[in-house]
Amino acid sequence: MKLTILGKYGPYPRRGGATTSYLIECGGKRVLLDAGSGSLSRLQQFCALDDLDLIVLTHLHSDHCSDMFVLRYALKDKLLPVLLPHTPEKEYGILHACPCFEAMEISESLDFTIPETNVKLSFCRTIHPVECYAVKFREGQDSFVFSGDSRYTDHLTDFCSGAVTFLCDSGFLSAEENTGALPHMYVREAAFTARRAGVGRLLLTHINPSYEEEMLLSEAAEVFRPVEIVEEMKQYHI
Ligand SMILES: [Zn+2]
C-alpha cells in the first residue's frame, strides 16, 4: 500500500498548504482518505479526479471534508462510493443528496472490502465533538491505521495494535495541558498510543500551523520511535 500526503494541516492550512487529506493506493485502487481544503488541486498531480475508486471521510469537520463540496461539481458521469459518518445531519444531507456520490454510512460493525481487491477496511469510533472514526486498511498481514481526529482513548489504542504504520492526529503540544477539554490528542498521547499498540512506525499529522514542528517531533520522540512528521506531496510505503 502507498500513502501520499495531500494535506497535513488542521484546523487551517499554513500558507501554500492544505488541510487533512491523503491518497491511499492499494490493490490497484485509489482511495481518497479525507478531503480537506486544497486537496483536490493536489490530488490532480497524482491522478485524475475520475480515477478515484472510493472516498473515506473520517468525519464531517470542514478541515477534513471541505473539498467534497467542490468535487461534486467535477464528477460528471461517475457514481463514486463515499464512506462517511451519518452525522452531523446538515453536512451528511448535502453529500447524500449529490447524484455523483453513493453515500454509505460508517459504523464500528462495518467490515468493508474494497471491490476487486483483498483490502479490508474497519472502523473505530473516536472521541471528538462530532461523530468520527479511525480507519484501518488491511492487506494480508499488513495494516495501516489513520486515527481521524480524537482525544486519547484506550479503544483507539487497541484498534491500532500491531499496525505497520500509524498516521495520527497530533493536535497539541503539552503546553496546552490544563487549558480544558480539547478535541485532539497531545502529541505525547499520539506517541503513547503508538508505543502501547506496538506499531511499526508513527507518522504525525493534523499539524497546527502556529506550532514549530521541531517541538512536536521532539515531544513525540521522547515517547516513541521511529516517528516523523509527514511532508505534503511525499509518498510513503505503508
Ligand atoms: Zn475534527
Side-chain angles (χ1 to χ4, degrees):
M1 295 188 280
K2 188 164 74 176
L3 161 71
T4 302
I5 311 298
L6 303 175
K8 71 171 187 180
Y9 294 102
Y12 61 94
R14 190 185 289 275
R15 183 176 60 190
T19 65
T20 311
S21 183
Y22 314 95
L23 174 64
I24 309 290
E25 293 170 84
C26 52
K29 303 292 182 183
R30 294 186 179 90
V31 181
L32 182 64
L33 175 57
D34 282 348
S37 63
S39 58
L40 291 193
S41 175
R42 293 264 174 88
L43 176 64
Q44 290 171 92
Q45 297 187 45
F46 298 95
C47 69
L49 299 178
D50 273 340
D51 290 339
L52 288 176
D53 297 292
L54 175 69
I55 296 177
V56 178
L57 300 176
T58 60
H59 65 300
L60 301 180
H61 272 158
S62 299
D63 53 336
H64 291 251
C65 73
S66 63
D67 272 15
M68 289 296 290
F69 301 95
V70 181
L71 179 60
R72 60 183 164 153
Y73 302 133
L75 298 176
K76 300 246 173 358
D77 302 312
K78 190 174 175 88
L79 180 62
L80 188 56
V82 181
L83 290 164
L84 75 172
H86 186 55
T87 62
E89 287 180 15
K90 183 180 175 188
E91 287 81 358
Y92 177 85
I94 294 170
L95 295 174
H96 183 266
C98 292
C100 59
F101 297 139
E102 179 189 6
M104 296 178 286
E105 294 168 21
I106 295 175
S107 71
E108 288 203 331
S109 61
L110 177 64
D111 247 323
F112 184 87
T113 301
I114 299 175
E116 302 166 16
T117 76
N118 295 317
V119 180
K120 298 181 185 303
L121 305 187
S122 53
F123 300 89
C124 166
R125 182 77 184 257
T126 71
I127 301 175
H128 202 53
V130 300
E131 184 181 1
C132 180
Y133 295 88
V135 55
K136 181 186 295 173
F137 289 67
R138 271 179 297 138
E139 188 173 40
Q141 297 298 311
D142 294 338
S143 63
F144 159 76
V145 174
F146 171 48
S147 65
D149 283 358
S150 187
R151 301 196 68 184
Y152 178 82
T153 153
D154 288 342
H155 188 45
L156 175 61
T157 305
D158 293 343
F159 184 71
C160 293
S161 179
V164 173
T165 303
F166 177 38
L167 176 66
C168 189
D169 170 6
S170 307
F172 294 110
L173 287 165
S174 56
E176 303 284 346
E177 282 178 23
N178 304 317
T179 56
L182 298 172
H184 300 279
M185 271 187 255
Y186 297 105
V187 67
R188 279 182 185 160
E189 293 177 315
F192 184 64
T193 301
R195 189 170 78 186
R196 279 195 58 196
V199 305
R201 169 173 61 161
L202 173 62
L203 299 178
L204 305 176
T205 192
H206 205 292
I207 306 302
N208 188 314
S210 70
Y211 283 162
E212 294 292 334
E213 292 195 1
E214 293 74 21
M215 293 181 69
L216 283 168
L217 190 60
S218 67
E219 286 200 359
E222 287 173 9
V223 179
F224 180 86
R225 294 169 188 260
V227 58
E228 60 187 294
I229 296 177
V230 293
E231 289 179 33
E232 292 186 326
M233 307 303 277
K234 186 174 171 180
Q235 297 187 305
Y236 300 81
H237 289 283
I238 52 173

